[in-house]
Amino acid sequence: MAQRTVLVVLFDDVQSLDVTGPVEVFAGAEGCVPGAYTIRTASLDGGPVRTSSGLTLVPDMALADADEPDLLLVPGGRGTRAADPRLVDWLRRRGPRARRLVSVCTGAILLAEAGLLDGRRATTHWAYCGKLARDHPEIEVDADPIYVRDAHVCTSAGVTAGIDLALALVEEDLGRKVALTVARYLVVFLRRPGNQAQFSAQLAAQTAAREPLRDVQQWITENPGGDLSVETLAARARLSPRHFARAFRAETGLTPGRYVDRVRLEHARRLLEDTGDGVEEISRASGYGTPEAMRRAFVRALGTAPAEYRRRFRPAQGRR
């Protein structure tokens, strides 16, 4: 079996978990399959770097001395906001030589500055997706997924999404069994689907300023299987349907229908992951009515059917 070299780029004000999360995944896989990965870290001059949380990381070498890696991993953090031009230049020259190019969180900004995301679909931490899109219109920025794969270039969302992406890469390299073993050891899900939203429906929408609308948001969350038509929700808010729909969108950033869709999908996902309930029962509890309606919603939003979602993403220890 070929040994794969993982080279992690370090710089001052890097986010420590962006580094250690994926490194723990690859190190865990190496423990399961000795010889699978060699992990190296490098900074511009080979000297220690101070992370944004105050930890000091000591790299193995200077970037100039690093061999061509199989996987080049670029973490994020405050240090990406005003990156050292020498680092961007190194990425511009050496990034295309890596067989796989991976960024975690705002590491995507460094890849973008180096021109390595031009013409590609990418993501980053939700708080910086707008900036990435504005500064680099040549990139198709997708703010929703926890990670995006475009050919050999992989970008992930904030912090822990780097662990999800690393687990996906380990599964690709060494198989599901090894990835599952690592995930269990780290006490995380094997991996969330890459197109899973970066945050829950409740966080995705703004909290309404007016109390009646906030109450409606909470009621939707607590009653996903109920009648959530605009007319019913408007009546709860004591507004006309037209006024309610306009006010809800203005205050939350989502139409009532879109918000309901997200809440129902999230509820169904949790039941598939955490319970042994049948698909028909879950479809009713989540407000879809029929398994076919739920299947269509899953395929549209996640690209997979409910049964396949459960098979792939329900942790083994949660089954009963």
Side-chain angles (χ1 to χ4, degrees):
M1 181 187 62
Q3 190 172 60
R4 302 166 179 86
T5 301
V6 177
L7 178 63
V8 184
V9 176
L10 301 182
F11 48 87
D12 283 326
D13 272 337
V14 69
Q15 170 76 40
S16 57
L17 192 54
D18 287 4
V19 176
T20 59
V23 164
E24 289 292 345
V25 171
F26 292 118
E30 166 68 17
C32 294
V33 184
Y37 295 103
T38 296
I39 304 166
R40 295 286 183 265
T41 57
S43 65
L44 269 171
D45 59 4
V49 302
R50 189 171 177 83
T51 72
S52 57
S53 59
L55 298 175
T56 297
L57 301 179
V58 181
D60 296 308
M61 65 190 76
L63 285 171
D65 298 328
D67 293 330
E68 307 299 341
D70 172 82
L71 191 156
L72 178 60
L73 191 148
V74 182
R78 290 202 301 259
T80 64
R81 298 178 190 173
D84 190 316
R86 295 176 299 157
L87 176 57
V88 174
D89 182 63
W90 185 91
L91 288 170
R92 184 180 295 112
R93 290 183 289 103
R94 299 287 294 274
R97 303 181 193 177
R99 190 171 74 85
R100 290 180 293 187
L101 188 58
V102 174
S103 69
V104 180
C105 196
T106 54
I109 293 176
L110 294 179
L111 296 188
E113 292 291 335
L116 299 173
L117 298 181
D118 291 359
R120 296 188 181 278
R121 179 169 165 259
T123 193
T124 186
H125 190 290
W126 62 267
Y128 293 90
C129 282
K131 172 178 172 55
L132 184 62
R134 288 191 301 273
D135 293 350
H136 302 277
E138 64 278 8
I139 302 171
E140 181 187 346
V141 178
D142 192 339
D144 281 338
I146 57 174
Y147 61 81
V148 168
R149 302 186 67 173
D150 187 325
H152 72 291
V153 179
C154 307
T155 52
S156 61
V159 192
T160 58
I163 296 175
D164 294 292
L165 177 52
L167 283 167
L169 295 171
V170 166
E171 183 175 356
E172 178 183 287
D173 291 343
L174 305 176
R176 179 180 175 82
K177 184 177 179 180
V178 173
L180 180 59
T181 299
V182 175
R184 285 173 174 167
Y185 182 77
L186 295 177
V187 198
V188 296
F189 287 113
L190 168 55
R191 60 183 174 96
R192 294 178 286 172
N195 53 0
Q196 181 172 313
Q198 290 195 32
F199 34 55
S200 69
Q202 288 76 19
L203 290 178
Q206 304 166 41
T207 300
R210 284 185 278 179
E211 187 173 329
L213 298 181
R214 287 201 307 272
D215 291 344
V216 167
Q217 283 182 289
Q218 183 64 31
W219 192 81
I220 292 171
T221 302
E222 295 172 352
N223 298 275
D227 177 3
L228 301 181
S229 64
V230 170
E231 290 75 16
T232 298
L233 298 178
R236 291 192 66 85
R238 295 184 175 86
L239 298 170
S240 70
R242 185 174 180 179
H243 185 190
F244 168 77
R246 185 167 56 246
F248 190 95
R249 182 167 189 174
E251 294 199 17
T252 69
L254 296 172
T255 65
R258 182 61 174 152
Y259 186 76
V260 167
D261 287 345
R262 290 189 176 189
V263 168
R264 284 177 166 163
L265 183 70
E266 185 174 320
H267 184 73
R269 277 191 11 247
R270 286 175 177 165
L271 293 179
L272 288 168
E273 293 171 359
D274 299 337
T275 77
D277 296 347
V279 171
E280 185 170 354
E281 183 180 356
I282 291 173
S283 68
R284 291 196 302 270
S286 303
Y288 291 111
T290 67
E292 176 58 24
M294 187 169 79
R295 188 194 70 80
R296 288 196 300 268
F298 265 65
V299 170
R300 181 171 60 251
L302 300 176
T304 188
E308 175 64 11
Y309 180 92
R310 165 172 275 173
R311 186 188 72 79
R312 297 180 64 191
F313 304 117
R314 184 180 171 199
Q317 61 267 33
R319 294 178 183 170
R320 62 188 188 193

